[in-house]
């Protein structure tokens, strides 16, 4: 039988992991209470923030956890490719745009995680203001800062293998807003 007809058993696991990240990033509370712009860029930045938190946790797990983190990042890139094509971006431009988005993710990942690891609230506040709020007024910035710190701490307490299959416990953003 041809392998193109076989279903990748890992695909459903990666979809569950990526789906859990996307679902949390799309929670209405971020747009209603936290003042994140309900725009393509606002939603993209929240997705990158949540992906960065999960990616960091999985990067400190075993080989399978690291592979799941990489697969979630790859799924993010495929998602961006799909969205760009749906928006009518040309076939020649899509790879360049996906590369730009991947680079943007990696920059945000480094900024967020270096600040979180160092316990540097000023650096994290600055990175969140610059990226999530696009340097605009952000009255709920302190709430988002508390949420990110809480999310990082919660993820650190969770088993990486559970996270890798999409069983992620997030802090309740409503109680932190």
């Amino acid at each position: 039988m041809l392998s193109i007809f076989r279903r990748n058993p890992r695909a459903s696991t990666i979809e569950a992991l990526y789906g859990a990240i996307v679902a949390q990033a799309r929670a209405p509370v971020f747009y209603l209470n936290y003042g994140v712009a309900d725009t393509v860029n606002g939603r993209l930045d929240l997705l990158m923030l949540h992906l960065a938190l999960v990616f960091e946790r999985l990067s400190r797990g075993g080989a399978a956890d690291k592979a799941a983190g990489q697969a979630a990042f790859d799924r993010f890139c495929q998602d961006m490719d799909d969205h760009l094509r749906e928006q009518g971006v040309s076939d020649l431009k899509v790879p360049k745009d996906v590369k730009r988005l991947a680079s943007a993710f990696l920059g945000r990942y480094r900024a967020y995680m270096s600040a979180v690891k160092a316990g540097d609230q000023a650096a994290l506040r600055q990175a969140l203001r610059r990226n999530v709020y696009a340097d605009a007024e952000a009255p709920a910035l302190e709430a988002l800062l508390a949420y990110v710190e809480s999310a990082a701490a919660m993820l650190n307490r969770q088993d990486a293998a559970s996270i890798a299959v999409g069983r992620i416990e997030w802090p309740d953003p409503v109680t932190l807003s």
Side-chain angles (χ1 to χ4, degrees), residues 85-165:
R85 290 178 192 283
E86 286 174 12
Q87 292 174 358
V89 175
S90 74
D91 287 343
L92 295 175
K93 194 168 182 314
V94 168
K96 291 175 189 172
D97 286 354
V98 170
K99 186 175 182 179
R100 183 181 49 79
L101 288 166
S103 178
F105 166 77
L106 293 173
R108 285 162 173 78
Y109 168 76
R110 287 184 194 109
Y112 297 147
M113 293 308 109
S114 65
V116 167
K117 287 178 190 177
D120 187 344
Q121 285 190 328
L124 182 57
R125 185 179 292 111
Q126 180 182 8
L128 292 170
R129 178 186 300 280
R130 180 180 60 248
N131 296 311
V132 177
Y133 294 106
D135 284 324
E137 275 301 307
L141 177 60
E142 293 305 311
L144 184 60
L145 177 74
Y147 170 81
V148 171
E149 290 175 327
S150 179
M154 280 187 82
L155 288 166
N156 284 336
R157 291 189 299 268
Q158 292 173 55
D159 177 55
S162 292
I163 294 170
V165 296

Side-chain angles (χ1 to χ4, degrees), residues 3 20-21 33 62 84-85 95 123 145 151 165 167:
S3 63
I21 295 167
N33 297 17
L84 289 167
R85 290 178 192 283
L145 177 74
V165 296
R167 289 193 304 266

Side-chain angles (χ1 to χ4, degrees), residues 21-39 42-43 46 50 133 140 144 147 171-175 177:
I21 295 167
V22 170
Q24 185 67 10
R26 289 188 179 163
V29 65
F30 292 114
Y31 308 98
L32 298 172
N33 297 17
Y34 285 71
V36 176
D38 191 8
T39 62
R43 290 187 299 270
L46 275 182
H50 285 87
Y133 294 106
L144 184 60
Y147 170 81
D172 180 4
V174 173
T175 62
S177 64

Side-chain angles (χ1 to χ4, degrees), residues 44-63:
L44 177 61
D45 267 302
L46 275 182
L47 174 57
M48 287 190 207
L49 173 61
H50 285 87
L51 179 61
L53 289 162
V54 170
F55 189 82
E56 172 60 25
R57 175 60 185 98
L58 292 175
S59 73
R60 291 181 284 106

